[in-house]
Amino acid sequence: MGGWRAAIRGLDHVCVVVRDMPVSVSWYQNVFGMQHIYTDTPNFWPRCEDSPAFLRASGGASIALLRLEPGSSLVKNHNGAHFAMNVPQCAFELARDQLPAILRENRVHPGQSVDVEFQDYGIQHSLFFTDPDHNVVELACWPHPPLPGS
């Protein structure tokens, strides 16, 4: 399989919907240390109020925040829908210790969960939590990645 498929380098970005753009931009900056990019570019928030905001982590992972249309509601059960950011083992252990306090410090409203759920999948460890709009976020670490061809 060649052509354009062989040129795919990785995931470019994920999109999540948010109710309050300034609040969500601030939350992603404070919790993940992401940088708000394209701030003075046409067709991006804040220059264009109805456009997405783009944020980038130091490792290059990017997220686009899309404003939820007024009158729309978020999916009540995410049915497994989420996005995951990959971190090395040492960062995962720090996040496991520090994330609950970071989420408490950055709680935007009383209904916002600050719970962090740890899952051990054997070859992968995950921390699950939610953003101010109840989007599920995962920090994933692969301390025992599968061997090629397994």
Side-chain angles (χ1 to χ4, degrees):
M1 183 185 326
W4 66 269
R5 294 177 184 166
I8 294 174
R9 295 180 292 191
L11 187 64
D12 184 78
H13 67 274
V14 295
C15 295
V16 296
V17 294
V18 301
R19 293 184 191 282
D20 188 319
M21 191 67 79
V23 165
S24 294
V25 166
S26 178
W27 189 88
Y28 278 90
Q29 287 174 316
N30 293 333
V31 172
F32 291 113
M34 298 184 102
Q35 178 185 4
H36 184 192
I37 58 176
Y38 308 132
T39 57
D40 197 30
T41 304
N43 302 313
F44 290 93
W45 188 89
R47 186 162 174 194
C48 182
E49 198 63 28
D50 294 327
S51 293
F54 259 72
L55 292 101
R56 182 170 294 142
S58 61
S62 296
I63 185 169
L65 305 178
L66 304 173
R67 186 182 313 278
L68 184 67
E69 293 293 324
S72 297
S73 63
L74 294 164
V75 177
K76 292 184 180 177
N77 180 338
H78 71 89
N79 293 322
H82 67 281
F83 70 92
M85 295 194 190
N86 180 272
V87 295
Q89 181 73 35
C90 58
F92 185 86
E93 297 304 327
L94 281 173
R96 191 172 181 183
D97 291 340
Q98 298 172 357
L99 196 53
I102 292 170
L103 293 174
R104 280 192 300 278
E105 291 168 10
N106 290 282
R107 181 181 250 170
V108 174
H109 54 80
Q112 182 182 348
S113 173
V114 295
D115 295 336
V116 178
E117 178 184 327
F118 171 77
Q119 289 291 327
D120 183 346
Y121 298 108
I123 61 171
Q124 176 200 347
H125 295 160
S126 296
L127 298 174
F128 291 95
F129 52 100
T130 58
D131 75 1
D133 290 290
H134 310 290
N135 292 302
V136 176
V137 179
E138 175 187 0
L139 283 183
C141 172
W142 296 81
H144 310 290
L147 298 172
S150 62

